[in-house]
């Protein structure tokens, strides 16, 4: 059953009863009014998607002007409300006038039941599409405002991202060592930068080190520095990464890739907070905030004997788990819009938008490469685009693409359920704020939450 709320406004009791009986099994709520004078009051107290409005109410008056008047009053109150006009005098001229003034469609009395239901469902589909587009536009405006207010790239309004932000706010103001865990492409370095930017050390350097790309022979020289003549290519004294980061933050990415020998040397530096350059005997004090990251399960590595337990305790004062993109699917469209703006500017493209098919495709795709894969996919799509709309064929998705693109488009119920879930996450379950965003009353929202078992 489509999640539509319909208000029937007709002065004939038989018509009202017939329509209510016909439509009550087709839509969520079907209410009736006999007098249009109470129409605006009804719209203020209850949320509707469609108004099925008779064109004539006064006895002996069949011009249709009353219907046009009340249609315009409805659209003044809510320009996106679907108004379907019902009349026994449906000449072409009147129909054209009504459509030009904002009517969604026009049905003649006596109506064909199947045609009437089809017309109303089409009107509902248009109404829900408008609401979805409005929400996307609102999200885009909010996103632009957020980006203008601060430089954070932590994009997302899902509950897991809101909780992650709260955790980072608490952690960042301390000097506690942080271990960031997450799959490839989830944005672990972004989290490290966020911690640094919110910390007391934000005006000092943040030095990033890819431990996974560092050979054992260069480990000490890179991290701790060397003096001139320490080895063949050491032509001058050189500071290591720890000294460069002193006063600020050092980020050790892919720390799970270190050998046991490298782990032992790192542990010594972290315990003593001092380094000795290769070829030197003098120790140098360092003042660093340590943030490490890995996609590996370090607890399992400890059990297997491939990662030192004492090092894990040292780096893991606070553990931050970064969610996979599939675990915050409600953020996919928001992220896609952010990357679209970013790369449209980078490649000097005209303002770009997505087709509805693209948004369905993006939401259905499993994103095994997480945010990084989405970012690269949008960048390629922007480069390949020729007009002002990003089409489905512009996206080159490698894994499970056939599965993603063959999924059926969202049904009305799925669309509304997702809208409620997104509002629930954004407003932390506050029904008043959710109802205001979704354009429904609290009782209607409560009914829908129970219906979808949310």
């Amino acid at each position: 059953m489509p999640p539509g709320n319909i208000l029937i406004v007709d002065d004939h009791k038989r018509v009202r009863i017939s329509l209510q009986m016909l439509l009550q099994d087709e839509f969520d709520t079907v209410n009736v009014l006999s007098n249009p004078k109470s129409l605006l009051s009804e719209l203020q107290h209850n949320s509707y998607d469609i108004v099925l409005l008779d064109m004539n109410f006064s006895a002996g008056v069949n011009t249709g002007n009353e219907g046009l008047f009340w249609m315009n009053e409805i659209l003044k109150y809510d320009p996106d409300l679907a108004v379907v006009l019902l009349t026994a005098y449906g000449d072409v001229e009147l129909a054209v006038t009504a459509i030009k003034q904002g009517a969604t469609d026009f049905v003649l009395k006596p109506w064909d039941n199947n045609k009437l239901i089809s017309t109303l469902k089409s009107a509902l589909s248009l109404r829900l599409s408008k609401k979805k587009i409005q929400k996307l536009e609102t999200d885009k405006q909010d996103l632009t405002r957020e980006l203008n207010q601060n430089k954070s790239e932590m994009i997302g309004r899902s509950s897991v991202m809101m909780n992650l932000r709260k955790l980072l706010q608490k952690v960042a103001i301390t000097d506690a060592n942080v271990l960031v865990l997450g799959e490839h492409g989830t944005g672990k370095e972004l989290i490290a930068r966020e911690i640094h930017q919110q910390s007391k050390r934000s005006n000092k350097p943040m030095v990033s080190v890819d431990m996974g790309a560092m050979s054992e022979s260069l480990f000490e020289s890179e991290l701790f520095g060397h003096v001139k003549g320490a080895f063949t290519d050491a032509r001058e004294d050189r500071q290591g990464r720890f000294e460069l980061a002193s006063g600020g933050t050092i980020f050790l990415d892919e720390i799970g890739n270190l050998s046991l020998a490298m782990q032992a040397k790192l542990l010594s530096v972290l315990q003593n907070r001092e380094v000795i350059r290769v070829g030197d005997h003098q120790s140098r004090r360092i003042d660093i905030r340590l943030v490490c990251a890995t996609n590996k399960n370090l607890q399992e590595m400890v059990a297997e004997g491939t990662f030192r337990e004492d090092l894990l305790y040292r780096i893991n004062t606070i553990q931050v788990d970064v969610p996979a993109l599939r675990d915050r699917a409600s953020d996919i469209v928001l992220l896609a819009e952010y990357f679209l703006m970013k790369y449209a500017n980078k490649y000097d493209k005209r303002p770009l938008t997505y087709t509805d098919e693209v948004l369905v495709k993006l939401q259905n795709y499993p994103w095994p490469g997480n945010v990084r894969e989405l970012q690269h996919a949008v960048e390629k799509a922007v480069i390949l685009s020729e007009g002002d709309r990003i089409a489905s064929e512009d996206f080159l998705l490698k894994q499970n693409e056939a599965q993603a693109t063959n999924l059926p488009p969202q049904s009305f119920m799925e669309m509304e359920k997702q809208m409620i879930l997104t509002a629930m996450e954004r407003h932390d379950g506050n029904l008043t704020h959710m109802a205001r965003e979704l354009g429904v009353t609290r009782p209607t929202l409560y009914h829908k939450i129970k219906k979808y078992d949310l």
Side-chain angles (χ1 to χ4, degrees), residues 403-419:
Q403 174 188 351
T405 54
N406 287 336
L407 286 172
Q410 288 178 305
S411 68
F412 295 122
M413 295 180 69
E414 290 169 340
M415 188 182 300
E416 182 175 63
K417 182 178 179 181
Q418 186 58 53
M419 290 174 69

Side-chain angles (χ1 to χ4, degrees), residues 9-26:
V9 187
D10 196 295
D11 58 343
H12 290 90
K13 184 175 181 180
R14 181 181 59 80
V15 171
R16 295 195 303 272
I17 293 174
S18 298
L19 287 171
Q20 194 166 30
M21 291 180 62
L22 172 65
L23 301 176
Q24 64 185 359
D25 292 331
E26 300 291 336

Side-chain angles (χ1 to χ4, degrees), residues 58-90:
S58 300
V61 179
N62 297 318
T63 62
N65 288 331
E66 286 181 294
L68 290 177
F69 170 79
W70 287 111
M71 179 195 73
N72 283 309
E73 291 298 302
I74 293 169
L75 294 178
K76 286 179 187 176
Y77 175 77
D78 183 354
D80 295 317
L81 197 58
V83 180
V84 176
L85 298 173
L86 190 63
T87 182
Y89 300 90

Side-chain angles (χ1 to χ4, degrees), residues 23 57 164 181 204:
L23 301 176
F57 293 94
L164 180 56
L181 300 179
K204 298 293 183 178

Side-chain angles (χ1 to χ4, degrees), residues 32 118 124-125 154 202 228 232 299 326 351 356 368 416 440:
V32 296
S118 176
L124 176 59
S125 177
M154 280 188 62
S202 59
K228 182 178 179 180
T232 304
Q299 294 286 359
R326 63 181 173 276
D356 291 341
E416 182 175 63
V440 299

Side-chain angles (χ1 to χ4, degrees), residues 142-155:
D142 290 346
L143 177 59
T144 302
R145 184 164 53 252
E146 287 174 14
L147 292 174
N148 288 335
Q149 289 173 350
N150 61 77
K151 300 302 181 182
S152 173
E153 292 187 1
M154 280 188 62
I155 307 301

Side-chain angles (χ1 to χ4, degrees), residues 122-140:
S122 295
L124 176 59
S125 177
L126 179 63
R127 163 72 166 173
L128 293 178
S129 295
K130 286 182 178 179
K131 289 176 73 173
K132 189 172 183 180
I133 291 170
Q134 280 182 340
K135 186 177 183 308
L136 289 174
E137 286 299 318
T138 300
D139 284 345
K140 188 184 295 186

